[in-house]
Amino acid sequence: MITIYGLYDSRRPGEIRYVGKTVKPLELRLGGHLTDARYRTRDNRRTHKANWIQSVVTSGGVIEVMLLDAAETNKDACDLERFYIRWLRACGYKLTNTTEGGEGILGLRHS
């Protein structure tokens, strides 16, 4: 099962700021986002998502994860991820996603 999830600041429970997909348990994936946000990329930059996470954490907030949907195939998960990103943006959410979704390889582990 592949889950589609949203990240948000616990002080703003209805305000999703990032949409993603994962095969991992949601709490484990959240931990990965929190760890990734502490470090800069090879070119000494941070993503928009990482900057948002860091700003929430340094101001005393807590990043929470919310299940949005689930799919059985990667194709369906990619379609759902794109749908939620499009839909939430159309509803006025200020997502930190830099793409329209559906990219990447689920379960890929970088060396």
Side-chain angles (χ1 to χ4, degrees):
M1 189 60 62
I2 304 164
T3 56
I4 311 305
Y5 64 92
L7 298 180
Y8 63 95
D9 180 343
S10 63
R11 297 169 295 187
R12 300 171 187 263
E15 192 176 311
I16 295 171
R17 294 294 311 273
Y18 178 80
V19 174
K21 66 181 183 301
T22 188
V23 294
K24 296 179 182 179
L26 289 180
E27 292 304 319
L28 186 61
R29 185 63 191 107
L30 172 60
H33 282 295
L34 295 173
T35 298
D36 292 347
R38 291 187 198 132
Y39 303 101
R40 295 184 182 276
T41 62
R42 290 182 187 166
D43 58 354
N44 202 32
R45 296 173 48 161
R46 269 201 191 108
T47 63
H48 184 38
K49 175 186 64 180
N51 285 332
W52 167 70
I53 290 172
Q54 278 301 104
S55 72
V56 170
V57 171
T58 57
S59 67
V62 176
I63 300 296
E64 298 280 348
V65 63
M66 160 192 312
L67 173 67
L68 297 175
D69 216 323
E72 292 188 20
T73 69
N74 190 47
K75 180 193 178 315
D76 289 344
C78 289
D79 291 344
L80 281 170
E81 183 184 29
R82 282 189 291 268
F83 165 78
Y84 279 100
I85 290 171
R86 252 189 336 268
W87 180 60
L88 290 168
R89 282 187 173 144
C91 290
Y93 287 76
K94 296 177 183 173
L95 297 180
T96 62
N97 294 74
T98 55
T99 69
E100 296 303 312
E103 304 84 18
I105 302 169
L106 284 174
L108 176 67
R109 292 185 182 203
H110 298 278
S111 60

